[in-house]
Amino acid sequence: QVQVVESGGGLVEAGGSLKLSCTVSGSTMGDFVMGWFRQAPAKGREPVSCITWQSRSTIYADSVKGRFTIARDDRKNTLYLQMNSLEPEDTAMYYCAASRLWRSSRRCVEDDYIGWGRGTQVTVSS
């Protein structure tokens, strides 16, 4: 059973950067599509980015395109999210999860994902 642990969150000023990590255990990460999601206070969870097997393709939410980069290292069973030019609107709990599906519609659909971790908090001050 796939399990994930997110890390790397913190408090940063607007314009700053953070790099999140997600370590997978219980299964081989290379067998899964991986995704990052986030949930801001009083809001629903939303997709941020997802990446196919072998990094062949990626999807980003419009709000983070050009600022965030998703990457995976299957040898280390670790998923990353490099976040640059952070904005106060990026403040949220960030989660990673795994999926066996990659949709032709090119959307990261929360219901497809399993193995949710506890998340890592990102807070961006203005």
Side-chain angles (χ1 to χ4, degrees):
Q1 181 177 354
V2 63
Q3 296 178 321
V4 305
V5 177
E6 303 93 340
S7 62
L11 173 63
V12 64
E13 292 184 350
S17 298
L18 283 173
K19 186 175 183 177
L20 305 184
S21 298
C22 168
T23 302
V24 176
S25 62
S27 295
T28 301
M29 193 178 78
D31 292 341
F32 295 92
V33 167
M34 297 297 298
W36 284 102
F37 296 77
R38 67 186 182 185
Q39 186 168 17
K43 293 187 177 180
R45 191 154 53 189
E46 62 177 6
V48 175
S49 181
C50 48
I51 186 168
T52 59
W53 308 272
Q54 301 178 355
S55 306
R56 289 178 178 174
S57 187
T58 57
I59 298 172
Y60 294 94
D62 288 343
S63 58
V64 307
K65 280 181 182 176
R67 301 188 298 121
F68 290 11
T69 302
I70 191 171
R72 63 190 296 161
D73 186 342
D74 291 340
R75 296 168 302 174
K76 296 182 178 180
N77 263 13
T78 303
L79 177 73
Y80 303 100
L81 185 68
Q82 177 67 47
M83 305 186 296
N84 298 328
S85 302
L86 282 161
E87 303 169 353
E89 293 74 20
D90 296 317
T91 295
M93 186 72 78
Y94 283 71
Y95 302 88
C96 74
S99 173
R100 296 193 182 276
L101 299 176
W102 182 259
R103 291 179 178 260
S104 59
S105 60
R106 292 189 56 76
R107 295 187 301 132
C108 313
V109 178
E110 181 179 345
D111 288 346
D112 293 343
Y113 285 77
I114 60 173
W116 295 90
R118 294 186 176 183
T120 186
Q121 178 68 39
V122 172
T123 303
V124 184
S125 63
S126 57

